[in-house]
Each structure stands twice: as C-alpha cells, then as structure tokens.
C-alpha cells in the first residue's frame, strides 16, 4: 500500500515538473466551449481528475472490504462468546460428574460398612 502511495507521489511530482516546463498556452475545446489556457494547468487539472476518478472507482471495493471485515469481527465475537459459554457448561458438567462420583463412592462405602456391621 505504501509502495503505491510513494509511486503516486513520484508520478505527481514528475507530472508537475513536466507541466511547469511546458507552460505554453493552448486552446482547449470541450463541446461548444473553447478556452485558451496554459498547458501546465491542463496537465495538472487532468492529473487531478484522474486521481478523483481513481478514488471513486476504488471506494466501492474499500467499502465492501470494510463491510466484510466488520461482519467477520462480529462473527468472531459471537463465536468467542459461544466458546466461553460452552467452556462454562463443560466446567459445570465436570463439577456435577465429580459430585456424583463422590456421592456414589460415599454410598458404596456406607453400604459396605453397613454390610460389615451386619456380618459381625
């Protein structure tokens, strides 16, 4: 991206130098209008119009990329939230399993001690 910016600035500087060295008046005709202005001004204006057209052409692409990026960020945030919820549910289930295992162990130990008491 910076390379394009540097390249654009270099081209603009070269165009301005060229325009200043060619300051002869020329006749410009556009439709029914005819104007005599310097070649330098015509070149600088043409360069400016080219830059504006280039920006206008690139705006839809930039907007589309920004929309996709925002959509992906929103989707990423939703997935992170879902992951967090799933992790919390997993931790709760593990605690429940540990509780049930301890309960089962306690009940088994109790029944074994009751059986021993009855046998004695």
């Amino acid at each position: 991206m910076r390379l394009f910016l540097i390249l654009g600035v270099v081209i603009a500087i070269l165009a301005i130098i060229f325009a200043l060295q060619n300051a002869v008046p020329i006749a410009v005709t556009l439709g029914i209008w005819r104007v005599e202005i310097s070649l330098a001004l015509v070149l600088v204006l043409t360069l400016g119009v080219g830059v504006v057209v280039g920006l206008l052409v690139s705006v839809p692409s930039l907007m589309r990329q920004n929309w996709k990026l925002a959509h992906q960020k929103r989707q990423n945030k939703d997935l992170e939230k879902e992951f967090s919820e799933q992790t919390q549910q997993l931790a709760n289930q593990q605690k429940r399993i540990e509780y049930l295992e301890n309960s089962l162990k306690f009940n088994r130990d109790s029944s074994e001690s009751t059986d021993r008491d009855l046998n004695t």
Side-chain angles (χ1 to χ4, degrees):
M1 183 71 175
R2 289 184 183 179
L3 179 64
F4 289 123
L5 181 63
I6 293 170
L7 185 63
V9 169
V10 168
I11 290 172
I13 290 171
L14 289 175
I16 290 171
I17 291 170
F18 178 78
L20 292 175
Q21 290 178 349
N22 295 290
V24 263
I26 61 167
V28 177
T29 305
L30 182 64
I32 59 172
W33 295 325
R34 183 178 171 94
V35 179
E36 292 233 359
I37 56 176
S38 73
L39 179 61
L41 186 59
V42 170
L43 292 174
V44 170
L45 289 175
T46 304
L47 179 67
V49 168
V51 167
V52 169
V53 168
L55 289 174
L56 290 175
V57 168
S58 66
V59 164
S61 174
L62 292 173
M63 288 179 63
R64 196 175 315 116
Q65 286 178 349
N66 285 340
W67 181 82
K68 282 182 181 179
L69 182 62
H71 176 72
Q72 289 175 346
K73 283 182 178 180
R74 196 168 38 249
Q75 186 178 16
N76 190 21
K77 195 177 274 188
D78 291 343
L79 289 173
E80 285 177 351
K81 182 180 177 185
E82 183 179 341
F83 176 73
S84 176
E85 290 171 356
Q86 292 292 329
T87 304
Q88 184 63 37
Q89 285 181 357
L90 179 62
N92 290 341
Q93 291 296 332
Q94 286 175 338
K95 287 178 184 176
R96 185 168 180 238
I97 288 170
E98 288 174 7
Y99 172 76
L100 291 173
E101 285 176 343
N102 289 338
S103 264
L104 185 62
K105 190 184 236 182
F106 178 74
N107 286 343
R108 197 175 335 149
D109 290 343
S110 299
S111 67
E112 286 177 4
S113 68
T114 307
D115 287 344
R116 271 186 271 157
D117 289 342
L118 290 175
N119 286 339
T120 51

